[in-house]
Each structure stands twice: as structure tokens, then as C-alpha cells.
Amino acid sequence: MSDRTQTARPLPSRKPCLTAVLRMAGLRPTRQRVALAELLFGGPHRHVSAEQLHGEANDASVNVSLATIYNTLHQFHEAGLLREVAVDASRSYFDTDTSDHHHFYVEDEQRMIDIPAASVEFKSLPQAPRGMVVSHVDVVIRVRKQQG
């Protein structure tokens, strides 16, 4: 009977893939963009604020300012890599799931929960202003923990 020990192999880096994704989106894959993309897209879909991502970047020893985080999130959004969900005039979350869907906003926890698009039905939508078309509909339903 042999005693074999297995050594843990590190997971392969996603950098080459993310570099290609950034290039295809028309963005130059700078060191900071690639590092932030790894943090954003390295796991399951999620919602993140700029402040949350800044904290994660600091924890991962990615030296980046909050202003750069905001700029990068907006660049990723404009390139179609993220979806921005505004919950009020001063707070936005960035969703890594860009498909059509809606959200619950848990006010007491300041977090977002996905709602499948098919779960929200509209009897009708108002006609778009002249010369415009509806590109998509975002529904944010605010919820809080029930008292008592």
C-alpha cells in the first residue's frame, strides 16, 4: 500500500480569457481593468457597489483608487459587460448578469436580489416619446424586514 499525497494545484488564471473579453468589448486590457474584471467575473453572477468592489480590491492587494473603480465600472457598463441598477440618486449597483430581469432591493441590508423577468408582468407600457423606442424596463421593488 503506497502513501501518496496530493498537492493542491492552483486554479488556472482567467486573465487570458478576460483580456480577450475586454478587447472584444473595445476596452484596453490594462493591469487594473483585468484585476477588477477578475474580481467581478471570477464567480457566480452578483451585484456590487463601487465601495464594495474597492474593499475587495484592497483585500486582494489590487492598488486602485475609488475613482478608478467608478470609472472602470462605468466603462464596463458602457461596453455591455455590466448592468447598472440605480436604487436612488446616490446609490447604484452593478450587476454581472446583463440579461433582462428585475430586482428586489433589501433596504435594511443594502443588497439586491434578482427577480426573473417572467415573474413581472405588464398589462401595457406607455408609448415611448416621439422618435424613441423602449430599450428595456428595469423594475426595482424595495423590501425590508417585516417588523414584529
Side-chain angles (χ1 to χ4, degrees):
M1 185 175 217
S2 70
D3 183 27
R4 297 191 318 182
T5 58
Q6 292 184 345
T7 57
R9 289 198 267 172
L11 294 174
S13 173
R14 295 174 42 108
K15 284 183 184 178
C17 178
L18 290 171
T19 298
V21 167
L22 292 174
R23 281 195 177 112
M24 287 188 299
L27 296 169
R28 197 166 54 93
T30 64
R31 180 184 54 80
Q32 290 178 325
R33 282 186 186 138
V34 172
L36 293 175
E38 282 190 316
L39 291 173
L40 285 166
F41 305 113
H45 287 299
R46 65 196 190 113
H47 309 94
V48 64
S49 69
E51 294 78 11
Q52 287 171 322
L53 186 58
H54 187 246
E56 292 175 20
N58 285 337
D59 292 345
S61 299
V62 176
N63 187 18
V64 63
S65 70
L66 185 57
T68 298
I69 297 277
Y70 273 105
N71 290 336
T72 302
L73 287 171
H74 287 288
Q75 291 164 354
F76 285 6
H77 167 68
E78 289 171 14
L81 301 175
L82 292 174
R83 183 173 170 184
E84 184 175 10
V85 181
V87 294
D88 58 41
S90 64
R91 179 167 292 274
S92 287
Y93 288 86
F94 293 86
D95 192 345
T96 59
D97 180 357
T98 59
S99 69
D100 282 338
H101 64 283
H102 308 290
H103 296 91
F104 285 115
Y105 176 61
V106 185
E107 293 178 324
D108 4 31
E109 299 174 17
Q110 295 185 330
R111 70 182 176 100
M112 307 288 293
I113 300 170
D114 288 335
I115 303 171
S119 297
V120 177
E121 294 183 28
F122 297 94
K123 184 174 180 179
S124 66
L125 291 175
Q127 190 167 348
R130 178 174 278 207
M132 297 185 182
V133 296
V134 175
S135 63
H136 64 277
V137 176
D138 288 322
V139 174
V140 176
I141 301 172
R142 296 171 174 278
V143 296
R144 67 175 73 119
K145 291 194 175 157
Q146 194 170 7
Q147 301 297 318

